[in-house]
Each structure stands twice: as C-alpha cells, then as structure tokens.
Amino acid sequence: MTWGSWAEFFAMGGHAPFVWGSFGVTALVIAAELLGVRARRRTLRTLAAQDEPDAGDVDAQPEVSAR
C-alpha cells in the first residue's frame, strides 16, 4: 500500500482502530511479560541469597542427607 500523507498512513484505509489497537495490545502484553520476568528474577535472586550460608558464619555446615 502507498499512502499520500501521514494522515492516510495513520488512518490505515479505514482500519486504524483494528491496526493500532492490535499494536497497542501487543505492546501492553510485551511490557507486562517483561515486568513479570523482572519480578520473578528478583524473587529468585532473593530466595537464592537466603539459601546461601554467610561466608563469615563458622557454624554454617552443609546439609548432609541421611541415608
């Protein structure tokens, strides 16, 4: 398709609500996914930091499984 002006481009031949709505929804979903990944990563780092014994803690012993 060729457009004679920016206004025609943004109008998308009368399909602008569908085209730009699709772009908007896609952008929101991608942003939500990125924020979700960021939150999960932060949570996992926090949990991993809690599981590690302190380096200066002399009494910290590794867990030994009983067989």
Side-chain angles (χ1 to χ4, degrees), residues 9-34:
F9 171 74
F10 289 116
M12 290 286 169
H15 300 287
F18 304 107
V19 173
W20 297 117
S22 298
F23 273 100
V25 168
T26 301
L28 286 174
V29 168
I30 290 173
E33 182 64 24
L34 291 173

Side-chain angles (χ1 to χ4, degrees), residues 30-61:
I30 290 173
E33 182 64 24
L34 291 173
L35 291 172
V37 167
R38 184 176 168 192
R40 286 188 296 271
R41 186 175 187 182
R42 187 180 304 133
T43 300
L44 289 174
R45 282 186 177 174
T46 302
L47 291 174
Q50 290 174 355
D51 288 343
E52 293 177 2
D54 293 335
D57 190 5
V58 180
D59 296 329
Q61 298 292 325

